[in-house]
Amino acid sequence: MTDILKTPALEGFIRMCDDGWLQGWHERNGGNLTYRMTDADVEAARPAFAPEPREWHEMGVTCENLAGEYFITTGSGKYFRNVQIAPEKNIGIVEINEAGSAWRIVWGLEDGAVPTSEFPTHFMNHSVRKRVTDGANRVIYHCHATNVIALTYVLPLTDRDFTRPLWQSATECPVVFPEGVGVVPWMVPGGVEIAKATSVLMETYQAAVWSQHGLFASGPDFDTTFGLAHTIEKSAEIYVKVLSTGQPILQTIEDDSLRAIARDFGVQLNEAFLD
């Protein structure tokens, strides 16, 4: 039987879980990760699938453009720190039915485990990101990025008020997320409300800040998505440290300089966030 843990998709997924844990973004069972598998990923993993998949579970949301897809997902109540130690118990692969409304486990999530409680939120946002990127985006990642959360206590909860200090705190930010970041006010996690609110933002942004909760990021692969989250959190850390000095800001990256960065790196900045 194929060693499924040696396939590129599973290796990349497990590494990203461990990277997030090592950053300190996944206390206890905090955070979740999902990956929409390619056809090649599925065929590489299929020999390890259960001969009799488990029962179907309705999600309460339907996304027709994800019908028949397969996802790798972290488990509900599972700890990121344990994924590398016992992947088959902490993550799994689920198949989506032909209506795009239900999942069933085909590998992993042993001993009665189920996908993350926020799987419907991921699912709805995978649908949006698949559509707006012509299928390019495959990863959605939610982490409890410490400094991003801290800023939700002191910045106005608007896309513009978050994007500007992030762009101005680290030179690479306008290149990494030139469209900016969206912001969701505090909502109960795992529910339909936060899923819908985030999906509206993900029409425009690669990442959304969840107030008092963390960061929700998307991308085409594990490296790009983790790099996006890492860049946003690093910039937030810099801004938090600047604020903590209690001193007035004497210089920053001005708007014309942001435009110059965008010009030289060939990206289009969201002009709505510039003066």
Side-chain angles (χ1 to χ4, degrees), residues 1 3 7 11 56 68 80 87 115 130 147 152 177 205 219-220 251 262:
M1 179 179 287
D3 184 354
T7 61
E11 284 187 335
W56 291 105
F80 267 53
K130 180 181 180 181
N147 293 281
T152 67
F177 50 101
Y205 305 112
Q251 53 273 324

Side-chain angles (χ1 to χ4, degrees), residues 106-177:
V106 297
W107 176 83
L109 292 172
E110 295 178 354
D111 302 328
V114 295
T116 169
S117 61
E118 291 182 322
F119 189 80
T121 301
H122 280 240
F123 189 71
M124 186 180 293
N125 284 277
H126 270 290
S127 176
V128 171
R129 296 306 294 171
K130 180 181 180 181
R131 173 170 49 79
V132 300
T133 66
D134 294 323
N137 273 199
R138 292 185 173 274
V139 181
I140 285 185
Y141 177 47
H142 166 51
C143 63
H144 295 174
T146 309
N147 293 281
V148 169
I149 296 172
L151 287 180
T152 67
Y153 289 88
V154 296
L155 291 179
L157 297 178
T158 73
D159 304 353
R160 192 179 197 274
D161 285 307
F162 259 80
T163 297
R164 285 183 61 80
L166 292 175
W167 278 353
Q168 292 175 326
S169 295
T171 300
E172 72 273 20
C173 287
V175 180
V176 175
F177 50 101

Side-chain angles (χ1 to χ4, degrees), residues 27-138:
E27 75 292 336
R28 202 172 181 272
N29 61 318
N32 26 72
L33 174 65
T34 55
Y35 168 69
R36 181 170 59 86
M37 301 173 76
T38 67
D39 290 343
D41 293 329
V42 174
E43 291 313 305
R46 192 179 296 280
F49 287 1
E52 295 186 13
R54 295 175 226 175
E55 67 277 11
W56 291 105
H57 294 266
E58 291 289 335
M59 289 181 282
V61 297
T62 299
C63 298
E64 294 180 359
N65 69 336
L66 297 179
E69 297 268 19
Y70 289 80
F71 289 86
I72 309 175
T73 176
T74 48
S76 179
K78 299 301 182 180
Y79 295 16
F80 267 53
R81 70 187 296 263
N82 291 333
V83 169
Q84 193 172 62
I85 299 168
E88 66 285 346
K89 295 181 183 295
N90 294 281
I91 65 175
I93 297 175
V94 298
E95 176 187 6
I96 305 302
N97 67 358
E98 290 306 313
S101 64
W103 55 261
R104 66 179 179 182
I105 298 168
V106 297
W107 176 83
L109 292 172
E110 295 178 354
D111 302 328
V114 295
T116 169
S117 61
E118 291 182 322
F119 189 80
T121 301
H122 280 240
F123 189 71
M124 186 180 293
N125 284 277
H126 270 290
S127 176
V128 171
R129 296 306 294 171
K130 180 181 180 181
R131 173 170 49 79
V132 300
T133 66
D134 294 323
N137 273 199
R138 292 185 173 274

